Amino acid sequence: LERTFSIIKPDATKRNLTGAINAKFEAAGLRIVAQKRIHLTKAQAGAFYAVHAERPFYDELCEFMASAPIVAQVLEGEGAIAKNREVMGATNPADADAGTIRAEFAQSVGENSVHGSDAPETAAEEIAYFFSGLELV
Ligand code: ATP
Ligand code: MG
């Protein structure tokens, strides 16, 4: 079974949507195999999103990700990476299909409630950034 890395972002934790979002993952056949609530520093958020360092929204993105606690998670299932991206919906909630997490919960293209890895290599890197081997069963 494949594993992917997921974040429930600050806009969603602040609105107490962790359970509602997790219900969407579980309904789609994704199993939450690791999960913790943490409050990133801006530097930690910046390191996580380093791939976007040259984008105009990078500073705003790092501020946002450090603005309140997040829930970092590992989701497991058949084709988990693609399945999670499907359940999340498009980056901009205005473009997200009905029933997706971002269509239902996201507030804007920046404050869009969830992150999900986009490929096997990034999933492995992102899981290792947030979780130790002992936390992964
Ligand atoms: P994520 O990587 O968070 O799962 P994604 O893969 O759908 O989202 P990316 O293009 O990787 O989207 O962008 C990373 C994040 O940067 C987005 O989820 C969003 O929070 C923020 N972002 C992307 N585009 C914009 C924008 N135009 N303005 C503000 N923030 C943006
Ligand atoms: Mg991305």
Side-chain angles (χ1 to χ4, degrees), residues 30-85:
L30 292 165
R31 182 179 300 274
I32 301 155
V33 297
Q35 173 166 264
K36 60 187 171 190
R37 185 171 183 268
I38 49 184
H39 196 149
L40 295 176
T41 64
K42 195 177 166 186
Q44 289 167 335
F48 176 70
Y49 274 123
V51 62
H52 296 307
E54 302 308 319
R55 309 278 286 274
F57 55 81
Y58 180 65
D59 193 65
E60 178 192 336
L61 175 61
C62 297
E63 288 278 359
F64 164 60
M65 291 300 288
S67 66
I70 62 164
V71 177
Q73 325 176 284
V74 180
L75 308 179
E76 182 181 82
E78 224 169 276
I81 296 169
K83 188 175 283 180
N84 182 37
R85 300 283 300 183

